[in-house]
Short mmCIF file of all heavy atoms in Angstrom, two decimals:
data_model
loop_
_atom_site.label_atom_id
_atom_site.label_comp_id
_atom_site.label_asym_id
_atom_site.label_seq_id
_atom_site.Cartn_x
_atom_site.Cartn_y
_atom_site.Cartn_z
N PRO E 261 -5.38 124.13 41.35
CA PRO E 261 -5.71 123.46 42.66
C PRO E 261 -6.44 124.51 43.49
O PRO E 261 -5.78 125.12 44.40
CB PRO E 261 -4.29 123.14 43.19
CG PRO E 261 -3.40 124.23 42.58
CD PRO E 261 -3.99 124.56 41.25
N TRP E 262 -7.69 124.67 43.33
CA TRP E 262 -8.39 125.78 43.93
C TRP E 262 -8.27 125.78 45.45
O TRP E 262 -8.08 126.87 46.07
CB TRP E 262 -9.86 125.76 43.53
CG TRP E 262 -10.07 126.13 42.09
CD1 TRP E 262 -10.46 125.30 41.05
CD2 TRP E 262 -9.92 127.45 41.50
NE1 TRP E 262 -10.52 126.00 39.86
CE2 TRP E 262 -10.18 127.34 40.12
CE3 TRP E 262 -9.53 128.65 42.00
CZ2 TRP E 262 -10.16 128.35 39.20
CZ3 TRP E 262 -9.50 129.75 41.07
CH2 TRP E 262 -9.78 129.57 39.73
N GLU E 263 -8.42 124.66 46.11
CA GLU E 263 -8.32 124.61 47.49
C GLU E 263 -6.93 124.98 48.03
O GLU E 263 -6.78 125.84 49.00
CB GLU E 263 -8.77 123.24 48.05
CG GLU E 263 -10.28 123.02 48.00
CD GLU E 263 -11.01 124.08 48.71
OE1 GLU E 263 -10.75 124.51 49.81
OE2 GLU E 263 -11.97 124.59 48.08
N GLU E 264 -5.93 124.42 47.38
CA GLU E 264 -4.55 124.63 47.82
C GLU E 264 -4.13 126.15 47.51
O GLU E 264 -3.38 126.70 48.30
CB GLU E 264 -3.60 123.76 47.07
CG GLU E 264 -2.12 123.85 47.46
CD GLU E 264 -1.24 122.98 46.68
OE1 GLU E 264 -1.76 122.17 45.87
OE2 GLU E 264 -0.01 123.11 46.81
N ALA E 265 -4.76 126.70 46.45
CA ALA E 265 -4.38 128.04 46.08
C ALA E 265 -5.18 129.14 46.79
O ALA E 265 -4.84 130.35 46.64
CB ALA E 265 -4.59 128.19 44.58
N ARG E 266 -6.17 128.72 47.61
CA ARG E 266 -7.00 129.78 48.28
C ARG E 266 -6.04 130.58 49.24
O ARG E 266 -5.35 130.04 50.03
CB ARG E 266 -8.05 129.16 49.10
CG ARG E 266 -9.05 130.14 49.75
CD ARG E 266 -10.12 129.46 50.51
NE ARG E 266 -10.95 128.58 49.56
CZ ARG E 266 -11.97 129.05 48.86
NH1 ARG E 266 -12.20 130.34 48.86
NH2 ARG E 266 -12.59 128.22 48.07
N TYR E 267 -6.08 131.86 49.05
CA TYR E 267 -5.10 132.70 49.85
C TYR E 267 -5.55 132.91 51.26
O TYR E 267 -6.63 133.43 51.53
CB TYR E 267 -4.89 134.02 49.14
CG TYR E 267 -3.86 134.89 49.91
CD1 TYR E 267 -2.54 134.45 49.96
CD2 TYR E 267 -4.24 135.96 50.61
CE1 TYR E 267 -1.58 135.20 50.63
CE2 TYR E 267 -3.29 136.68 51.33
CZ TYR E 267 -1.99 136.33 51.37
OH TYR E 267 -1.02 137.03 52.11
N THR E 268 -4.68 132.54 52.19
CA THR E 268 -4.87 132.78 53.59
C THR E 268 -3.68 133.57 54.08
O THR E 268 -2.50 133.04 54.00
CB THR E 268 -5.02 131.49 54.39
OG1 THR E 268 -6.09 130.70 53.83
CG2 THR E 268 -5.26 131.77 55.84
N PRO E 269 -3.91 134.78 54.62
CA PRO E 269 -2.65 135.57 55.01
C PRO E 269 -1.87 134.84 56.07
O PRO E 269 -2.43 134.18 57.00
CB PRO E 269 -3.31 136.83 55.56
CG PRO E 269 -4.70 136.88 54.96
CD PRO E 269 -5.09 135.45 54.79
N PRO E 270 -0.59 134.93 55.98
CA PRO E 270 0.25 134.38 57.07
C PRO E 270 0.07 135.13 58.32
O PRO E 270 -0.27 136.36 58.34
CB PRO E 270 1.66 134.49 56.55
CG PRO E 270 1.64 135.55 55.57
CD PRO E 270 0.26 135.51 54.98
N SER E 271 0.27 134.48 59.49
CA SER E 271 0.11 135.16 60.77
C SER E 271 1.25 136.13 60.98
O SER E 271 2.32 135.96 60.45
CB SER E 271 0.06 134.16 61.88
OG SER E 271 1.33 133.52 62.01
N PRO E 272 1.03 137.18 61.80
CA PRO E 272 2.13 138.00 62.11
C PRO E 272 3.34 137.33 62.71
O PRO E 272 4.48 137.74 62.45
CB PRO E 272 1.51 138.99 63.14
CG PRO E 272 0.10 139.04 62.83
CD PRO E 272 -0.22 137.62 62.44
N GLU E 273 3.09 136.27 63.46
CA GLU E 273 4.22 135.48 64.06
C GLU E 273 5.05 134.81 63.02
O GLU E 273 6.30 134.80 63.06
CB GLU E 273 3.63 134.46 65.04
CG GLU E 273 3.09 135.06 66.30
CD GLU E 273 1.62 135.57 66.08
OE1 GLU E 273 1.03 135.27 65.02
OE2 GLU E 273 1.09 136.24 66.99
N GLU E 274 4.37 134.26 61.99
CA GLU E 274 5.13 133.63 60.86
C GLU E 274 5.91 134.63 60.05
O GLU E 274 6.99 134.36 59.72
CB GLU E 274 4.10 132.86 59.92
CG GLU E 274 3.42 131.72 60.55
CD GLU E 274 2.37 131.08 59.64
OE1 GLU E 274 1.51 131.93 59.26
OE2 GLU E 274 2.44 129.91 59.41
N LEU E 275 5.28 135.80 59.82
CA LEU E 275 5.98 136.84 59.08
C LEU E 275 7.16 137.34 59.88
O LEU E 275 8.23 137.65 59.31
CB LEU E 275 5.04 137.95 58.69
CG LEU E 275 4.00 137.66 57.64
CD1 LEU E 275 3.06 138.91 57.48
CD2 LEU E 275 4.62 137.35 56.32
N TYR E 276 6.99 137.46 61.20
CA TYR E 276 8.05 137.94 62.04
C TYR E 276 9.30 137.07 61.93
O TYR E 276 10.45 137.52 61.78
CB TYR E 276 7.57 138.06 63.48
CG TYR E 276 8.64 138.60 64.43
CD1 TYR E 276 8.70 139.96 64.62
CD2 TYR E 276 9.55 137.78 65.08
CE1 TYR E 276 9.72 140.51 65.46
CE2 TYR E 276 10.54 138.29 65.93
CZ TYR E 276 10.59 139.66 66.16
OH TYR E 276 11.49 140.23 66.93
N VAL E 277 9.05 135.76 62.01
CA VAL E 277 10.19 134.80 61.93
C VAL E 277 10.88 134.92 60.52
O VAL E 277 12.08 134.94 60.42
CB VAL E 277 9.68 133.32 62.14
CG1 VAL E 277 10.89 132.41 61.88
CG2 VAL E 277 9.21 133.20 63.59
N LEU E 278 10.08 134.96 59.48
CA LEU E 278 10.58 135.08 58.11
C LEU E 278 11.40 136.35 57.96
O LEU E 278 12.55 136.31 57.51
CB LEU E 278 9.45 135.04 57.07
CG LEU E 278 9.88 135.25 55.60
CD1 LEU E 278 10.67 134.09 55.13
CD2 LEU E 278 8.63 135.48 54.77
N TYR E 279 10.79 137.45 58.29
CA TYR E 279 11.49 138.78 58.08
C TYR E 279 12.72 138.89 58.97
O TYR E 279 13.77 139.49 58.56
CB TYR E 279 10.52 139.92 58.44
CG TYR E 279 9.31 140.02 57.50
CD1 TYR E 279 8.24 140.77 57.81
CD2 TYR E 279 9.30 139.32 56.26
CE1 TYR E 279 7.13 140.88 56.98
CE2 TYR E 279 8.24 139.43 55.44
CZ TYR E 279 7.16 140.17 55.76
OH TYR E 279 5.99 140.26 55.00
N ARG E 280 12.68 138.32 60.14
CA ARG E 280 13.84 138.42 61.05
C ARG E 280 14.98 137.54 60.52
O ARG E 280 16.12 138.01 60.52
CB ARG E 280 13.39 137.92 62.44
CG ARG E 280 14.57 137.93 63.48
CD ARG E 280 14.23 137.10 64.66
NE ARG E 280 14.16 135.66 64.18
CZ ARG E 280 13.57 134.62 64.82
NH1 ARG E 280 12.94 134.93 66.02
NH2 ARG E 280 13.58 133.43 64.38
N ASP E 281 14.61 136.28 60.09
CA ASP E 281 15.70 135.44 59.63
C ASP E 281 16.39 135.97 58.37
O ASP E 281 17.57 135.83 58.16
CB ASP E 281 15.15 134.05 59.35
CG ASP E 281 14.78 133.29 60.64
OD1 ASP E 281 15.13 133.83 61.66
OD2 ASP E 281 14.22 132.19 60.48
N LEU E 282 15.63 136.68 57.49
CA LEU E 282 16.14 137.15 56.18
C LEU E 282 16.59 138.62 56.37
O LEU E 282 17.07 139.24 55.43
CB LEU E 282 15.04 137.07 55.12
CG LEU E 282 14.57 135.59 54.71
CD1 LEU E 282 13.68 135.67 53.58
CD2 LEU E 282 15.80 134.77 54.49
N GLU E 283 16.41 139.14 57.57
CA GLU E 283 16.84 140.50 57.88
C GLU E 283 16.23 141.57 56.99
O GLU E 283 16.90 142.47 56.49
CB GLU E 283 18.42 140.65 57.85
CG GLU E 283 19.07 139.70 58.79
CD GLU E 283 20.62 139.79 58.88
OE1 GLU E 283 21.07 140.87 58.45
OE2 GLU E 283 21.25 138.89 59.38
N PHE E 284 14.89 141.41 56.76
CA PHE E 284 14.08 142.38 56.06
C PHE E 284 13.68 143.45 57.04
O PHE E 284 12.56 143.47 57.69
CB PHE E 284 12.85 141.72 55.45
CG PHE E 284 13.11 140.80 54.29
CD1 PHE E 284 12.07 140.04 53.71
CD2 PHE E 284 14.35 140.72 53.74
CE1 PHE E 284 12.29 139.19 52.67
CE2 PHE E 284 14.57 139.82 52.68
CZ PHE E 284 13.61 139.07 52.15
N LYS E 285 14.62 144.36 57.37
CA LYS E 285 14.41 145.26 58.51
C LYS E 285 13.17 146.19 58.35
O LYS E 285 12.44 146.44 59.30
CB LYS E 285 15.67 146.06 58.69
CG LYS E 285 16.86 145.19 59.08
CD LYS E 285 18.18 146.00 59.15
CE LYS E 285 19.34 145.06 59.44
NZ LYS E 285 20.63 145.82 59.47
N THR E 286 13.03 146.72 57.15
CA THR E 286 11.83 147.61 56.92
C THR E 286 10.51 146.92 57.17
O THR E 286 9.62 147.41 57.82
CB THR E 286 11.87 148.17 55.52
OG1 THR E 286 13.09 148.92 55.31
CG2 THR E 286 10.69 149.13 55.29
N LEU E 287 10.41 145.68 56.62
CA LEU E 287 9.20 144.87 56.78
C LEU E 287 9.05 144.41 58.26
O LEU E 287 7.93 144.37 58.83
CB LEU E 287 9.20 143.67 55.85
CG LEU E 287 9.10 143.97 54.37
CD1 LEU E 287 9.29 142.76 53.57
CD2 LEU E 287 7.73 144.62 54.05
#
Side-chain angles (χ1 to χ4, degrees):
W262 289 109
E263 286 306 312
E264 184 184 352
R266 186 179 299 280
Y267 181 69
T268 303
S271 68
E273 291 79 11
E274 292 173 305
L275 289 176
Y276 183 87
V277 174
L278 175 68
Y279 297 163
R280 183 201 60 200
D281 288 353
L282 299 185
E283 299 184 20
F284 291 172
K285 297 176 183 178
T286 301
L287 292 172

